Amino acid sequence: MVMFSNGFSTLQMPEDFQQIPPKDEFTDLYLVNTKIPMSIKFSTTPTLSGLPEIMNGIEENLKDNGKIELITSDFIVINESLYYMVVSSFNDGENQIRRNEFLYVEDDNLYIFEFTYPYADRELDDFYLNIIRSLKIIVPKYIVENGSYKLNKEESSNSS
């Protein structure tokens, strides 16, 4: 079992996935498996919004986007924590792509898991839930105050 850690959070990485360097400051982990094919993205962003506001914003954006079909949008409990789950699909020209997103807010930090793959497969439910269940937040990545945010300098070095 391979664990990912960035000093702020840890989670279990599935086997047979390659880590790709993140393209933005909020993406903590980006994994791809070309055999399945599937990508997994784990991000952390600062937020002052709660899950109901985030849900409303996402649903509005999806409603206004004619290319993306909203399949389901609901709150679910994972590891006794409330997550917002949104499942959508879109066509990339060749395949029907499905995206399952799980969002969680704690200490003004929004944690986002995004699983993207070219088919709907109920067999994957346990696969991605196991990854989400493995999330351990060591310290918040961002500190949000006075209308802005900064990287938390605490990291896990003080909590080891």
Side-chain angles (χ1 to χ4, degrees):
M1 173 185 3
V2 179
M3 294 299 284
F4 161 80
S5 180
N6 62 0
F8 302 104
S9 53
T10 63
L11 57 94
Q12 181 180 329
M13 295 192 306
E15 292 181 22
D16 300 327
F17 277 76
Q18 290 182 304
Q19 195 166 342
I20 305 293
K23 292 183 175 21
D24 62 72
E25 73 170 297
F26 300 119
T27 301
D28 296 308
L29 179 65
Y30 188 72
L31 301 170
V32 295
N33 182 328
T34 54
K35 291 179 202 145
I36 297 180
M38 175 188 248
S39 67
I40 301 171
K41 182 175 166 185
F42 172 67
S43 308
T44 309
T45 64
T47 187
L48 289 176
S49 298
L51 286 179
E53 295 166 282
I54 291 167
M55 178 186 83
N56 291 337
I58 288 174
E59 286 182 353
E60 282 299 313
N61 286 339
L62 290 177
K63 200 173 8 175
D64 294 341
N65 187 332
K67 297 180 181 185
I68 299 176
E69 176 191 350
L70 177 63
I71 296 170
T72 187
S73 170
D74 206 352
F75 295 105
I76 62 169
V77 175
I78 302 173
N79 285 355
E80 299 176 13
S81 297
L82 188 64
Y83 279 74
Y84 166 56
M85 176 184 75
V86 59
V87 179
S88 59
S89 71
F90 58 94
N91 194 311
D92 71 355
E94 291 181 27
N95 298 304
Q96 191 69 19
I97 305 294
R98 182 172 168 128
R99 181 171 45 215
N100 295 20
E101 296 174 85
F102 297 85
L103 299 89
Y104 172 68
V105 174
E106 183 178 304
D107 296 325
D108 297 329
N109 282 246
L110 171 62
Y111 300 90
I112 306 166
F113 290 90
E114 184 179 303
F115 302 88
T116 308
Y117 49 98
Y119 46 81
D121 189 347
R122 303 281 311 163
E123 299 294 315
L124 290 173
D125 287 357
D126 280 339
F127 171 80
Y128 46 73
L129 286 173
N130 287 336
I131 295 169
I132 295 167
R133 286 181 186 120
S134 75
L135 174 66
K136 302 283 183 270
I137 300 167
I138 300 165
V139 295
K141 184 175 180 180
Y142 298 103
I143 297 172
V144 181
E145 55 191 10
N146 302 325
S148 66
Y149 69 91
K150 63 182 180 186
L151 196 60
N152 187 349
K153 298 295 185 206
E154 294 282 316
E155 279 195 53
S156 63
S157 55
N158 293 350
S159 60
S160 300

